[in-house]
Amino acid sequence: MSTSVIILAAGKGTRMRSNLPKVLQPLAGRPLLRHVIETAKKLNAKNIITIYGHGGDKVQQAFEQENVQWVEQAEQLGTGHAVKVTLPVLPSDGVSLILSGDVPCITQETLEKLLAVSRETGIGLVTLTLNDAAGYGRIVRENNKIQAIVEHKDANDAQRQIKEINTGIYCVSNAKLHQWLPKLSNKNAQGEYYLTDIVAMAIADGLEVASVEPERAFEVEGVNDRVQLAALEREFQSYQAKKLMQQGVHLIDPARFDLRGQLKVGQDVRIDINVVIEGDCEFGDNVEIGAGCIIKNTTIASGSKVQPYSIFDNAIVGEDAQIGPFSRLRPGAKLANEVHIGNFVEVKNSSIGLGSKANHFTYLGDAEVGAGSNIGAGTITCNYDGANKFKTIIGDSAFIGSNSSLVAPVSIGNGATVGAGSVITRDVAENSLAFERSKQVAKENYQRPQKLKK
Ligand code: UD1
Ligand code: CA
């Protein structure tokens, strides 16, 4: 039986007080709606139908690459009306999972459980028991069987005591949606078409309404304002941190760790506090990351140690490298094994060969450095003439003296030496010494200027 996913995302999100539509607000670095779409994709949904309203253009643009069907709900007349507008594109058979674009953390596992229990009955809900259920739709049961959902505003005092709530996540047979939704009415406290009324319709049709509870409460938490967004961010982060620790990662403090993407790890990876990991990253065995590092779309191979406050963006680091503190690896930085990159060294679009070192204050841009070379403190590859970029090639076992400028295009041969303070504009041959500096001037018994008398 095929599964469709319907995502409600037409609400205004007024309480965010933002120009950005609510479902585009980021949680763990990705828009709320992306979390839901990614989970839907994991379920191999046949079609993903997203109901949009406010800021629809921006929302659709953000998901252009995705195979998502968009249905407009021009006026927000209620959750039941929202699902009703999908009927023209909704298959007549199979089932639909109904999700919310602002409930981003629902998991594949919970939805699979929901699908399993709903297949037998034709309708199922994700419910949750809360100490304070105020504001939510309540699950009314008789002899333990679900009879109806009553919205808080429509509930009587006795119903308001009910602690089991509707999370707004459902699984319903498409045939039933086609049958029930046109019959919804808006005669209720809010004058809205309530999706929740389909539960009473199911009971009237003699169906049983199944339910499951999520393993963790944050899976069904919605986001209405920035306070809730920040709270959910922390819960999601602590869930991710726990998963990493269960895989053997030593997080010095899981409360001060942020993963905004995917991290694959080997054994005995250690991560100090306040590290932010973005996009797709991979750390090999025994990798150590110092405090305050920001690492995006980067692979760091086994045994490499990163000292605090280093920044990586689309870099590849070999085994047993030593990086930082305060190093910056920009896109296209490719370090072989045992490379050392030290403080205030920036590497962009450059490959650095086995065991080469650039330990202090250096810019390596559009460079190819061989193995076993030493790049002295303050070396700059002058790769840009104001209009074009050029390459610097440095061979194996070269030695670049401190404070040298290598004006690209230029190449330094294997075993060549550049004297400190040189501006190198011509190629340097293998095993030769090149330096470029004016002769040192010496003035004996020199008097420094004295402070003028007023
Ligand atoms: C809904 C449920 C309530 C449940 C609660 C869980 C109904 C009538 N009530 O209430 O039982 O406890 O969610 O959070 O369904 N939306 C649209 N179009 C509309 C109205 C809403 O797309 O016309 C979207 C919103 O953007 C949101 C979702 O539907 O993503 C839920 O809407 P919301 O107004 O938050 O529903 P609640 O009143 O909180
Ligand atoms: Ca809500």
Side-chain angles (χ1 to χ4, degrees):
M1 188 159 41
S2 72
T3 304
S4 301
V5 170
I6 299 173
I7 305 173
L8 280 73
K12 255 201 203 121
T14 319
R15 281 174 284 166
M16 297 302 294
R17 298 186 181 276
S18 173
N19 242 330
L20 194 65
K22 177 161 79 175
V23 293
L24 294 187
Q25 300 285 342
L27 179 96
R30 281 170 298 159
L32 299 178
L33 182 55
R34 180 164 299 284
H35 287 264
V36 182
I37 288 175
E38 278 170 13
T39 305
K41 289 202 311 204
K42 286 191 220 154
L43 293 159
N44 294 321
K46 184 178 173 201
N47 32 19
I48 301 175
I49 305 166
T50 303
I51 303 154
Y52 69 95
H54 294 274
D57 291 347
K58 274 192 199 166
V59 177
Q60 286 180 51
Q61 260 169 33
F63 297 97
E64 251 169 11
Q65 318 286 22
E66 303 291 344
N67 191 12
V68 169
Q69 271 176 286
W70 298 93
V71 176
E72 185 180 14
Q73 186 195 22
E75 258 189 301
Q76 278 69 62
L77 303 178
T79 49
H81 178 260
V83 180
K84 195 168 102 177
V85 298
T86 71
L87 291 180
V89 300
L90 193 71
S92 52
D93 57 357
V95 296
S96 283
L97 284 168
I98 302 174
L99 311 177
S100 273
D102 59 1
V103 181
C105 297
I106 185 70
T107 59
Q108 183 187 355
E109 296 74 48
T110 299
L111 293 176
E112 275 167 357
K113 274 200 276 177
L114 176 65
L115 277 165
V117 298
S118 311
R119 285 226 162 89
E120 296 158 27
T121 62
I123 176 167
L125 320 172
V126 179
T127 73
L128 184 69
T129 304
L130 290 178
N131 275 328
D132 178 10
Y136 289 100
R138 306 299 211 285
I139 306 294
V140 179
R141 291 186 186 255
E142 260 170 45
N143 301 323
N144 211 27
K145 297 219 154 108
I146 296 178
Q147 299 301 312
I149 300 174
V150 182
E151 290 305 290
H152 183 91
K153 286 186 178 146
D154 299 283
N156 60 36
D157 286 346
Q159 289 166 335
R160 285 187 182 183
Q161 301 305 311
I162 298 172
K163 289 181 161 38
E164 189 184 9
I165 62 122
N166 170 31
T167 65
I169 294 172
Y170 316 79
C171 178
V172 192
S173 100
N174 289 337
K176 292 294 177 188
L177 287 173
H178 280 284
Q179 183 188 327
W180 293 332
L181 293 176
K183 293 196 275 186
L184 288 177
S185 110
N186 62 354
K187 304 232 161 19
N188 51 52
Q190 304 186 77
E192 288 179 9
Y193 295 90
Y194 290 166
L195 180 59
T196 47
D197 287 351
I198 62 173
V199 170
M201 290 177 173
I203 299 301
D205 281 3
L207 299 182
E208 196 169 311
V209 178
S211 70
V212 295
E213 291 221 5
E215 203 166 309
R216 307 158 206 91
F218 83 91
E219 286 185 40
V220 295
E221 264 167 41
V223 172
N224 293 307
D225 59 31
R226 294 188 192 268
V227 176
Q228 290 173 344
L229 181 60
L232 190 57
E233 175 82 31
R234 278 337 309 158
E235 287 182 90
F236 185 67
Q237 289 299 346
S238 94
Y239 165 70
Q240 294 190 124
K242 201 166 162 188
K243 279 206 295 194
L244 285 170
M245 291 187 288
Q246 285 162 347
Q247 289 168 44
V249 176
H250 181 188
L251 290 178
I252 308 274
D253 181 1
R256 285 179 290 171
F257 169 74
D258 287 85
L259 172 57
R260 301 174 189 157
Q262 272 22 273
L263 174 61
K264 275 204 214 157
V265 287
Q267 252 194 339
D268 292 301
V269 166
R270 192 164 86 207
I271 301 178
D272 210 330
I273 59 167
N274 294 335
V275 169
V276 178
I277 291 168
E278 298 177 48
D280 287 306
C281 290
E282 193 170 341
F283 300 161
D285 295 345
N286 301 306
V287 164
E288 289 179 14
I289 310 292
C293 291
I294 300 176
I295 306 177
K296 182 176 175 183
N297 297 324
T298 289
T299 301
I300 302 179
S302 301
S304 288
K305 311 270 184 261
V306 179
Q307 304 277 343
Y309 302 106
S310 297
I311 315 281
F312 299 70
D313 181 3
N314 284 279
I316 299 174
V317 177
E319 293 175 10
D320 301 312
Q322 292 185 29
I323 294 163
F326 300 102
S327 299
R328 181 168 182 212
L329 302 191
R330 290 173 50 204
K334 198 163 173 272
L335 314 189
N337 296 348
E338 295 163 46
V339 164
H340 292 194
I341 298 293
N343 42 220
F344 309 107
V345 174
E346 174 178 343
V347 181
K348 185 218 76 170
N349 189 34
S350 293
S351 59
I352 317 286
L354 175 71
S356 286
K357 296 174 184 170
N359 275 327
H360 333 266
F361 316 109
T362 283
Y363 174 60
L364 293 171
D366 305 309
E368 267 175 40
V369 179
S373 286
N374 187 78
I375 314 292
T379 298
I380 306 291
T381 54
C382 308
N383 60 330
Y384 186 50
D385 65 4
N388 307 291
K389 299 264 171 75
F390 299 98
K391 275 188 98 161
T392 300
I393 314 250
I394 299 174
D396 299 336
S397 304
F399 181 96
I400 312 296
S402 295
N403 200 30
S404 294
S405 302
L406 308 177
V407 182
V410 72
S411 82
I412 314 291
N414 293 337
T417 304
V418 170
S422 299
V423 177
I424 297 296
T425 53
R426 282 179 291 157
D427 291 353
V428 177
E430 275 189 23
N431 300 319
S432 65
L433 165 68
F435 59 90
E436 190 278 344
R437 56 171 90 115
S438 54
K439 241 191 180 145
Q440 187 164 325
V441 175
K443 293 185 181 179
E444 284 175 20
N445 299 319
Y446 174 69
Q447 285 292 314
R448 288 191 212 126
Q450 304 292 306
K451 203 159 188 147
L452 296 173
K453 294 213 168 69
K454 285 195 188 136

